[in-house]
Amino acid sequence: MAIQIPTVSSPLTLSRPVVDDVSVRLVAALVLALVTLTAATGQWWLYGVLALDFALRTAGLRRLSPLGVLVQHVARPRVRVAPRPTSAAPKRFAAGIGAVLTAAAFVLWLVGLASGTGSVSPVVWGITAAMIAFPLLEAGLGLCVGCKVYALLIRTGLIPADSCIDCAPTTRVVSPKETA
């Protein structure tokens, strides 16, 4: 007799919020463009705008996110690819990472301004490198680094497995020998 151990395939899990992965990748492309523009022009105040946008998306307020609205009403209708639903929780977690990084870069830039040095901290440049790499991976390859961290946190038990239909291990059949 085999015993079935459910992990993620419960009806409760299936009702979790989802987002369109195509739209997420388009937002990542816009983030990449803005961060690249920020670094190329030295307009570090743009990190404040990005931090606010990331915070809105982290809070589940995509409809208020300038990048989200731009993608939803301008870019996405022009991309003729079927929607690809994916769990919203890891994407919100990844946006939270973006919010923290861009807010830190913005604050460090402000500190540099206030100190009168006018120079940009090496930490800001490090954050800039991460904020170019992460959206590049998401937009170009569909690889969400924040989502990978989220899945790792699920596997370590720090986040409940039923919070993400795409991250947690699937239901598996266990033999009676394994349960003894």
Side-chain angles (χ1 to χ4, degrees):
M1 178 178 143
I3 299 171
Q4 190 172 12
I5 299 176
T7 55
V8 247
S9 298
S10 69
L12 177 65
T13 301
L14 296 177
S15 68
R16 297 285 186 208
V18 296
V19 293
D20 175 26
D21 192 54
V22 177
S23 295
V24 170
R25 291 177 73 175
L26 291 169
V27 168
L30 289 177
V31 169
L32 175 62
L34 278 173
V35 172
T36 303
L37 178 69
T38 299
T41 63
Q43 300 298 312
W44 302 104
W45 60 269
L46 286 170
Y47 271 134
V49 175
L50 278 170
L52 176 62
D53 188 81
F54 275 119
L56 289 169
R57 288 185 281 121
T58 301
L61 300 172
R62 289 177 295 184
R63 68 189 180 285
L64 299 178
S65 154
L67 295 181
V69 169
L70 185 62
V71 163
Q72 181 180 2
H73 296 291
V74 178
R76 185 61 176 109
R78 288 167 174 73
V79 176
R80 299 193 188 274
V81 175
R84 290 194 299 250
T86 188
S87 182
K91 299 298 184 180
R92 285 176 62 182
F93 179 81
I97 293 171
V100 169
L101 289 175
T102 53
F106 181 66
V107 167
L108 289 170
W109 171 70
L110 288 175
V111 167
L113 276 181
S115 71
T117 63
S119 64
V120 177
S121 158
V123 176
V124 173
W125 284 108
I127 291 170
T128 300
M131 290 306 302
I132 287 173
F134 294 164
L136 179 63
L137 290 169
E138 173 76 57
L141 303 174
L143 175 65
C144 174
V145 175
C147 299
K148 297 295 183 188
V149 172
Y150 191 86
L152 177 66
L153 293 173
I154 285 177
R155 285 194 296 278
T156 60
L158 295 172
I159 295 177
D162 69 348
S163 67
C164 174
I165 59 176
D166 300 324
C167 307
T170 57
T171 301
R172 66 186 187 97
V173 176
V174 178
S175 72
K177 292 178 184 176
E178 288 181 278
T179 60

